Each structure stands twice: as structure tokens, then as C-alpha cells.
Amino acid sequence: MDKYVIKGGKPLYGEVEISGAKNAAVAIIPAAMLVDGVCRIENLPEISDTEKLLRILELMGARVSYVNATTVDVDCRSVGLSNKIYSLTRSIRASYYLIGSMLGRFGKASTTMPGGCNFGVRPIDQHIKGMRALGATISIGRGLIKAEAEDGRLHGAYIYLDKVSVGATINIMIAATLANGRTVIENVAREPHIVDLANFLNSMGADIRGAGTDTIKIRGVERLHGGSYSLIPDQIEAGTYMTAVAATGGEVKITNVIPRHLECISAKLREMSVSITEGDDYVVVKRERPLLCTNVKTQPYPGFPTDMQPQICAVLCHATGTSIITEGVWDNRFKYVNELKKMGAEITVSGKTAIVEGVKTLIGAPVAACDLRAGAAMVVAGLCAEGVTTIEDVIYIERGYQNIVGKLRALGADIVAVSEPDTPEEQDKRMESVC
Ligand code: EPU
């Protein structure tokens, strides 16, 4: 498994292009199962999550052909349920979207329980509640989820989500697209990738309104036709590069972004005295002055994203003064703090709050990526630390960041990936669940 070795302390300069959104891709690929024709998906990120989901569709009988590295044609006209997918579905968090797409397509579903990065308990009760409301009978046992719609087709329903959940919103939208009648989902998540999924499905003939607000209305249609769709850029990848520049200093133009999606991140960085200039599809991030402390609370969109919490923490480690970070989405997303402490960070965690005392500089050290965004935070910390940082378990990082080493090197960072043969434990990690 690769390690990253970073010699810190170099400011970043230049231009970096952001890839397609991971969390849109992992919803849209399963949703492609509903399409009765060929659907072309463009701007796919080249990451292991998308490769695994496409492989799952292939194992179910889909034809998947790459037009180029980031464009793929998917033809799901001859798919069927298959137990060959189970070892892969177990290794992907987003495989829970297969419940919605299988139920929508076949009126029945059979897949494994999803795993996931360990941020505390990760229930899927709202997904299940939604599927039941749409008329599915669901049984869970021995790690498998089986579901079946009465009369072979789901029906429209009114569903109120007790918790704002990205995953449940997406899953119910997918399931309701081909259901008989009208579905209304209240108290839904509003993340950009939810709007992207609705746009994808609508471009193939679905009738979904309200994505991006807290109520989504879906009129079920008989079939979806083929078409082509380009994914939005990845908000979190862009935010990660923004924090990297904030941490190291320098000036970087971040291209292929939707600046509106980054406002929650830009606002915080500005409070820290980082300059952000927005263009139509780019932002320029420049840091010339010492960083100021600030407080951050993560919330569902349009709040500050939980998936940027570890990276902003890495930046706040060397801001002047005391910052308070409150995690408002997950129960336990501060495991990475122990790794930052190995680099000299002064952070105290109490429940869902971390108090960060700014230090003059972080010092390079051997650390590990505990999960995808925690790993990204280690990269940000390593880039601005004095000396050499070695990051282990970078497989987690590569699940969500396309070519992170190449992109950072092009900005002047001294980072290399060092390959070593996998130990048996590392082989197991490759099959562990993703975020
Ligand atoms: N929740 C429930 N019941 C449910 C579903 C969720 O109580 O049925 C709770 C969760 O325990 C959590 C909150 O609701 O406290 C929000 O969870 P949500 O369902 O929104 O998260 P998710 O769909 O499992 C996605 C992303 C995560 C990201 C969260 C929040 C994917 C594949 N994953 O997870 O992304 O943190 O939304 O924005 O889209 C990442 O990319 O690093 C990552 C972890």
C-alpha cells in the first residue's frame, strides 16, 4: 500500500482543476439502473468508489464502456439481481442506493448492509422508513437487506424524514422515480449532489421538483430514456485545496468549480484572513497574512460541510488564538485529532466539540489516514508542517481524491507516493467500507 511522504513548508502556487463530485457519482451510477437505454455519464471522478459501483452494475449484467477516463456509457437494459455483487457492496457505503434503484427497477432488492467510515453509529432507519412508505416489505438479516414491493411496483407516498439525511433523501428519490403515483418527501437534505441527481434523472425523463429546497415532489413515470449528463464538480475536493492554500500560503486558482457551492467554506476562510476571489467557474485563494482563529459548526448544506471539518481543523491548528469546532452531523468525527497531536497540534476534544489552540508551527511526523477526510486533513497538515510527514493508509484518501499527489505536485508541493507491497492487514483494508 502507498504512503505519502511530504516535505512541508512550501507555499502553493498555480492552477488546479477539480474533478467530478464523488457523492454525486456514487448516487448517479446506481440511479442509472433505472434508465431504459444507454446513459452517458461525463465528468466522473477517477476514484475507486466509482470504479467499484460500475463493476457492480457490470456484475448485474450492465454494459459499461469507457469513452475516455472520465466519461462512461452505461447500458442497464439487461441487468438482473445477482448475489455476485455482495463482496463489493459490502465494501461501499453508497451501495445502499442499490436498494432504491433495485426496488424502482425490479420491484425487489437484494444487497448487503453498507459499512462506512466510523464516525459513530450510522443508522439507515430513514432509508428503510421511506422504502416501507413506498410499499416495500423489508427484511434485514445476516448482513443482507431484502426488499419487495407489493404487486411488483412501488407506489407514491408522503414521507417526512425525522432527520435531515443525504443518503435517505437520495435513496427515496431514486426509488420513487418509477413508482406509481406522486411522492412528497419533507425535511430533505439540500446538498448540491441531491440537485445533481434530480437533474440527471429529469434529463432522462423523470419528473422531480424541489431538489435544493426542503421538500421534494416526485411524479412517478413509466420509464426513463437514455441520454447524456455531466456531473457537477466536487465541492469537498475544491474545499480541500482551498484549505491547503490557506495552510501553506501562496496563491492558487481552483478551476472547474461552482463558487456558490463553496460559499460556506469561503466565508470561514475569509474570517481567517484568507483572500478568496470568485469567477464564473473558479476561485482564487490567496494567503499572505497570518491566520486568525475562528469558530466552525458543521451542519447540513448550506451550512459548513462535515466533510470539510478535519481539513479546516488542520488549518486552525496554526491560526492565532483559540478556535472552537462543533460537529453537528456525526457523533464521533474527531478520531483524527490524535494524529494531528503527533504533529504538535494542541486540541482538546469533548464530545462533539474540539478546542484548537493555535501553535506557531506543526512538526512533521509519521501519521495515518483514519478515513477519507481525516486523511485529507493529514495532507493539509503535512504540507504546512516543518520537516517530513509520512502518511499511512492513504487508500482511504484515494477513495475520494483523484490524483491528489499529482495535483499538489503541480502546485509546487513536495509530496510523493511511495509504493510498498501490501501486508495482509492492508489487503483487508482495501476491502473495508468507504464513506
Ligand atoms: N441518519 C439517521 N438515520 C438515517 C440516515 C442518517 O439517523 O437513516 C443520521 C446519521 O447518523 C447522521 C445524519 O443523519 O448523524 C446525516 O447522515 P446522512 O444520511 O446525511 O449521511 P450519509 O448519506 O450516510 C453522506 C456522505 C458523507 C457525508 C454525509 C453528510 C455519501 C456516500 N456519503 O453520508 O460523506 O459526511 O452525507 O453530508 O454521500 C465523505 O464523503 O467523506 C462522507 C463521509
Side-chain angles (χ1 to χ4, degrees):
M1 190 183 283
D2 286 358
K3 286 185 177 119
Y4 294 165
V5 180
I6 305 175
K7 283 191 194 128
K10 285 184 127 191
L12 301 178
Y13 287 98
E15 200 169 305
V16 61
E17 186 177 336
I18 297 307
S19 304
K22 168 182 94 82
N23 288 346
V26 300
I28 284 173
I29 295 170
M33 202 192 295
L34 302 178
V35 177
D36 186 11
V38 179
C39 83
R40 174 165 291 189
I41 310 172
E42 295 168 358
N43 201 30
L44 265 182
E46 290 178 73
I47 51 174
S48 53
D49 276 27
T50 51
E51 283 159 18
K52 283 185 181 178
L53 279 163
L54 288 167
R55 181 71 192 132
I56 287 170
L57 291 187
E58 275 184 328
L59 288 170
M60 293 178 68
R63 284 176 179 222
V64 173
S65 38
Y66 277 90
V67 179
N68 58 48
T70 58
T71 301
V72 71
D73 282 342
V74 181
D75 181 350
C76 287
R77 279 175 288 192
S78 49
V79 290
L81 297 183
S82 165
N83 56 13
K84 289 187 205 148
I85 64 174
Y86 292 165
S87 64
L88 276 175
T89 53
R90 254 184 231 113
S91 79
I92 301 185
R93 178 78 192 159
S95 65
Y96 50 29
Y97 297 140
L98 294 168
I99 307 169
S101 56
M102 288 174 177
L103 270 171
R105 169 71 192 268
F106 311 114
K108 53 186 175 181
S110 178
T111 183
T112 59
M113 283 295 279
C117 296
N118 185 5
F119 317 137
V121 187
R122 296 190 73 173
I124 58 164
D125 56 304
Q126 298 304 303
H127 304 236
I128 303 292
K129 168 179 158 167
M131 300 304 156
R132 286 196 169 128
L134 294 169
T137 308
I138 304 208
S139 61
I140 300 177
R142 297 184 175 188
L144 292 181
I145 303 182
K146 295 199 180 272
E148 189 144 7
E150 246 173 64
D151 308 326
R153 187 178 178 192
L154 297 173
H155 56 71
Y158 173 87
I159 300 159
Y160 177 86
L161 295 182
D162 303 310
K163 179 104 191 182
V164 176
S165 158
V166 172
T169 304
I170 288 177
N171 222 348
I172 297 168
M173 270 167 72
I174 294 174
T177 294
L178 297 179
N180 189 12
R182 189 165 177 262
T183 297
V184 177
I185 326 168
E186 298 262 24
N187 197 29
V188 296
R190 294 180 280 163
E191 268 64 6
H193 37 287
I194 288 171
V195 180
D196 210 36
L197 171 68
N199 289 340
F200 164 79
L201 289 168
N202 285 342
S203 75
M204 310 275 155
D207 183 353
I208 301 173
R209 292 161 202 219
T213 74
D214 53 17
T215 304
I216 294 180
K217 294 176 182 158
I218 303 160
R219 205 172 281 283
V221 295
E222 292 300 319
R223 70 177 279 273
L224 297 185
H225 52 74
S228 108
Y229 190 79
S230 181
L231 301 187
I232 53 166
D234 197 301
Q235 176 205 28
I236 305 300
E237 189 196 13
T240 302
Y241 285 99
M242 291 168 80
T243 51
V245 185
T248 60
E251 180 172 346
V252 172
K253 182 175 183 185
I254 302 176
T255 63
N256 186 34
V257 299
I258 299 177
R260 189 167 34 88
H261 294 166
L262 303 175
E263 269 163 18
C264 36
I265 303 162
S266 304
K268 276 295 146 198
L269 291 176
R270 286 189 180 117
E271 282 173 26
M272 296 166 69
S273 94
V274 179
S275 142
I276 318 264
T277 319
E278 292 173 2
D280 286 345
D281 62 353
Y282 66 86
V283 290
V284 178
V285 183
K286 188 171 172 183
R287 206 266 281 169
E288 291 170 316
R289 290 191 289 275
L291 293 166
L292 304 175
C293 58
T294 190
N295 297 333
V296 177
K297 175 163 187 189
T298 69
Q299 286 170 314
Y301 189 82
F304 188 88
T306 175
D307 295 340
M308 283 300 303
Q309 185 256 95
Q311 302 90 311
I312 198 96
C313 181
V315 185
L316 288 171
C317 281
H318 47 122
T320 311
T322 307
S323 304
I324 300 176
I325 302 178
T326 311
E327 173 56 45
V329 177
W330 297 109
D331 288 339
N332 179 9
R333 206 173 189 174
F334 286 120
K335 277 198 305 187
Y336 68 89
V337 160
N338 286 334
E339 301 301 304
L340 285 179
K341 283 184 175 172
K342 293 179 187 164
M343 302 175 73
E346 289 186 15
I347 308 173
T348 315
V349 175
S350 166
K352 290 181 164 194
T353 302
I355 299 171
V356 185
E357 301 287 350
V359 293
K360 201 161 163 257
T361 180
L362 295 175
I363 310 291
V367 291
C370 321
D371 61 58
L372 168 59
R373 308 303 172 186
M378 295 309 131
V379 173
V380 171
L383 289 172
C384 65
E386 240 172 50
V388 178
T389 298
T390 312
I391 307 177
E392 293 203 0
D393 296 342
V394 299
I395 188 158
Y396 293 113
I397 303 174
E398 293 173 355
R399 283 168 173 172
Y401 290 89
Q402 178 179 325
N403 187 23
I404 189 167
V405 169
K407 288 184 183 185
L408 284 169
R409 286 179 67 82
L411 297 175
D414 190 340
I415 175 170
V416 287
V418 180
S419 280
E420 284 171 12
D422 278 3
T423 62
E425 295 79 44
E426 285 170 337
Q427 273 166 18
D428 288 347
K429 266 183 194 144
R430 278 191 194 281
M431 284 312 289
E432 271 173 27
S433 305
V434 299
C435 302

